[in-house]
Amino acid sequence: MPDPSRPTERTIKGLPASGGVARGKLFVLGRSDPVTPPEYAITEDEVPAEQERFQRAIIATRGQLSAIQEKLRRMLGAKDAELFEAQLLFLDDPTVLSHVNRLIAERRCNAETAFAEVARGYLEAFKAMEDSFMRERGVDVRDVTDRVLHTLLGQDHAASLADIRERCILVAHDLTPSQTALLDRNLVLGFATDQGGLTSHTAILARALNLPAVTGLIDASRRVRHGANAILDGFEGTLIVEPTDATLYRFGAIEFRQQQRRDQLRQLTDQPAITLDGHALTLSANIESPDETADVKSQGAEGVGLFRTEYLFLRGNSLPTEEEQFQAYDRIARELHPQPVIIRTLDLGGDKVTRLWPAHSEENPFMGWRAIRICLEERDVFRAQLRAILRASAAGNVKLMYPMISGVDELILANEVLDQCRNELTVEGRPFDFDMEVGAMIEIPSAAMTAEAIAEHVDFFSIGTNDLIQYSLAVDRTNPKVARLYDPTHPGVLRLMSRTIEAGRAAGLWVGVCGEMAGDPLFTPLLVGLGAQELSAAPSRVPAVKFLIRRLKLSEAQELAAFALQCKDSHEILRRTRTLAETAAPFLFEKDQPTA
Ligand code: PEP
Ligand code: MG
């Protein structure tokens, strides 16, 4: 007999951003819509009680903030917990408190009205400040103001990440890459967001953290209840709310099978990535943090094909110094020695924004102030990073690559700064690898079209398919509304990739692929056939790609690529690609099968 008091099961469909299944209660992260407090008059007799109510709200808010700060201190250390210092200072400011009390008494208005007016004055003053760092502090005032107003109104303040205390599936309208990087893996079993595409940096990070994730759920964060039971299926891209016993049973069986398959793939860890007809590829890993070197080894990757250094800049409360960066790069290089480690210079901007940087509100951030463009303007930041990478190169296995190169001019400028750093280090007598390979990411169509010229200034190319697809098809990689137009087998994309590989080959360079396409075994035959010599993927994806390579013939992959390069229809290319991949390794594509 179905239990009528039990809520009915609902399945919400999104995008399968990161494989895995999680079961648990939902923690719904509130949207920070500004609070509009009610306005009402009070009598003269009521003034002392109203002032006292305000005083109590301030004390309660201070208590909430201190608890959050303490939790952050335990999780991240004292430096990052300072984030809340500005909010606490605002609450303790005697000018703010006396101003509110005065307004309550003079205007005979409720505490919410008086406090909102005083806070508004501060907010406007912060907004008008010349110093961008100070302007950013306005966000703190807005946050603490809403918190006080919620307390006065007896409401719960919109839940924040720091309020998570129990194991849960996190549901949010959006998560920034830096918020995702800070998720407590012991508590957050997986996450679901309304926003985001499959190659948004939040999705990439979820795969790096091995955390099931579903993005592009449109408005799920408004449709689900905090505390509801749910299953998050990162393989299918669904959030199942209030699952029935039958669904729970089915997922239990799927989880068991997936674990068995993962164990089977692990057996390949020490095997080379070599095709059936003897063609060897380099299969390396994309990492976001020095802590991932253990995963690189355990998943059987041959070194690092992409270290996204920006997370060093997104995590802390200040820009990392040359020394701090050196420690991080040196640690990775030594832990993986003699395998190669490709360190990518800073690629902030786009969806990776930091509070530490002067605030630039951009209409179109992916087309804006990003990556090498920032570095060539902020020379001190760039130099500190180049020096740190050069110093780490003394280990002998480090390579450097520049992101978002659009043409040869940027590359020449970047190499000039690199030469200056080499000269400085030589004068200082610090060791480094004078022959360190330097590469360019090819992820902007203009770079693919001028790859011959770019090849004259570098030792290798690494194709960044995430951005190359985004920019060549004009499809925002983070926008779920256009996710279905994000098409890796579009003939235009494949021709740009082929052009890049051929130009690299003609100039004697090696060419790799480090976008998410390289981590999906579905596309392995196509990339191998196009002539990529290295594939770099999230560590968790390496075993499946290796499994496929070891069951593939180079000759078949080349036939597929030749077909794809003369075909006009992306669906037909995808169909043939799928047929070859599934024939080579049916095991990887069975239903309920994780590819991660
Ligand atoms: C890419 O664009 O494919 C890439 C690997 O870089 P990112 O995802 O960091 O932009
Ligand atoms: Mg990119």
Side-chain angles (χ1 to χ4, degrees), residues 40 73 83 121 156-157 194-195 197 210 227 311 348 362 379 399 410 412 448 495 514 535 568 574 576 594:
Y40 54 90
R73 187 172 291 131
L83 283 174
D156 265 353
H157 184 65
D194 298 343
Q195 293 290 305
N210 234 331
Y311 291 94
L348 281 180
E362 295 186 283
R379 289 289 170 95
K399 303 175 203 242
E410 278 162 343
I412 290 173
R495 285 171 207 194
C514 65
L535 300 179
K568 297 188 194 101
L574 182 59
R576 291 250 196 153

Side-chain angles (χ1 to χ4, degrees), residues 347-351 360-375 377 404 410 444 470-471:
D347 184 9
L348 281 180
D351 57 349
H360 284 264
S361 141
E362 295 186 283
E363 290 292 328
N364 211 339
F366 272 110
M367 302 284 201
W369 207 54
R370 188 181 163 189
I372 197 74
R373 300 170 184 178
I374 298 181
C375 288
E377 274 181 38
M404 294 289 291
E410 278 162 343
I444 299 183
Q470 147 164 280
Y471 292 127

Side-chain angles (χ1 to χ4, degrees), residues 201 204 308 344 370 441 443 464-467 477 514-515:
H201 283 102
I204 291 174
R308 289 187 170 92
R344 177 176 76 181
R370 188 181 163 189
M441 284 195 71
E443 49 185 345
T465 52
N466 305 335
D467 279 315
R477 61 193 268 191
C514 65

Side-chain angles (χ1 to χ4, degrees), residues 27-343:
F27 183 98
V28 183
L29 197 65
R31 284 214 215 180
S32 50
D33 297 336
V35 186
T36 6
E39 281 184 37
Y40 54 90
I42 54 169
T43 63
E44 191 173 351
D45 294 348
E46 286 169 333
V47 166
E50 195 63 6
Q51 289 172 331
E52 201 191 316
R53 190 165 76 85
F54 172 61
Q55 193 60 38
R56 276 201 307 270
I58 293 288
I59 293 168
T61 310
R62 202 183 287 134
Q64 291 167 14
L65 283 176
S66 301
I68 295 176
Q69 197 180 30
E70 185 46 39
K71 185 167 177 228
L72 274 183
R73 187 172 291 131
R74 267 184 271 118
M75 272 166 64
L76 302 171
K79 210 168 157 209
D80 291 283
E82 280 169 17
L83 283 174
F84 285 91
E85 213 48 56
Q87 300 200 16
L88 282 164
L89 281 176
F90 182 76
L91 290 182
D92 285 337
D93 187 340
T95 334
V96 175
L97 306 186
S98 63
H99 195 165
V100 174
N101 281 329
R102 204 173 59 241
L103 279 186
I104 295 175
E106 287 173 6
R107 299 244 190 101
R108 311 245 175 89
C109 63
N110 61 326
E112 290 88 344
T113 307
F115 179 68
E117 179 168 331
V118 172
R120 203 163 31 244
Y122 276 83
L123 268 174
E124 273 155 23
F126 273 108
K127 252 196 228 154
M129 284 188 184
E130 298 248 315
D131 184 311
S132 54
F133 181 80
M134 290 309 288
R135 269 203 311 274
E136 289 269 288
R137 301 283 64 76
V139 177
D140 290 321
V141 175
R142 156 87 204 278
D143 196 37
V144 73
T145 303
D146 283 354
R147 204 172 261 282
V148 172
L149 288 173
H150 276 124
T151 312
L152 277 167
L153 294 166
Q155 298 169 347
D156 265 353
H157 184 65
S160 81
L161 287 179
D163 294 328
I164 299 177
R165 298 211 172 76
E166 287 171 3
R167 285 157 75 84
C168 64
I169 295 169
L170 178 65
V171 181
H173 178 63
D174 200 7
L175 284 177
T176 63
S178 50
Q179 281 176 313
T180 313
L182 286 176
L183 293 178
D184 183 343
R185 295 285 330 271
N186 294 320
L187 297 178
V188 177
L189 306 169
F191 67 82
T193 58
D194 298 343
Q195 293 290 305
L198 287 178
T199 60
S200 61
H201 283 102
T202 301
I204 291 174
L205 209 51
R207 293 193 279 272
L209 296 167
N210 234 331
L211 207 59
V214 177
T215 55
L217 286 159
I218 312 294
D219 61 353
S221 71
R222 290 199 188 282
R223 288 167 55 202
V224 298
R225 194 175 49 81
H226 190 83
N229 290 313
I231 294 175
L232 182 77
D233 181 353
F235 297 120
E236 290 293 320
T238 51
L239 179 67
I240 304 170
V241 187
E242 302 295 359
T244 59
D245 289 342
T247 306
L248 285 168
Y249 179 79
R250 186 163 59 82
F251 270 86
I254 290 174
E255 277 175 282
F256 178 71
R257 276 207 304 281
Q258 283 164 354
Q259 191 51 48
Q260 278 184 327
R261 287 167 183 151
R262 259 196 295 268
D263 292 345
Q264 211 167 327
L265 285 177
R266 283 256 164 77
Q267 292 168 7
L268 293 181
T269 307
D270 299 323
Q271 303 297 320
I274 186 160
T275 62
L276 287 173
D277 44 359
H279 175 67
L281 284 119
T282 305
L283 186 49
S284 33
N286 294 349
I287 61 168
E288 336 284 325
S289 137
D291 297 334
E292 286 180 80
T293 53
D295 297 338
V296 176
K297 289 185 197 165
S298 68
Q299 302 283 9
E302 299 161 65
V304 168
L306 166 64
F307 172 39
R308 289 187 170 92
T309 55
E310 34 295 348
Y311 291 94
L312 298 176
F313 290 71
L314 287 173
R315 273 180 195 158
N317 209 11
S318 56
L319 293 175
T321 61
E322 173 186 324
E323 190 55 33
E324 283 164 344
Q325 291 184 65
F326 166 69
Q327 296 297 341
Y329 308 151
D330 182 61
R331 182 180 146 201
I332 301 174
R334 288 184 189 284
E335 286 181 3
L336 292 174
H337 194 272
Q339 295 184 329
V341 172
I342 304 181
I343 303 178

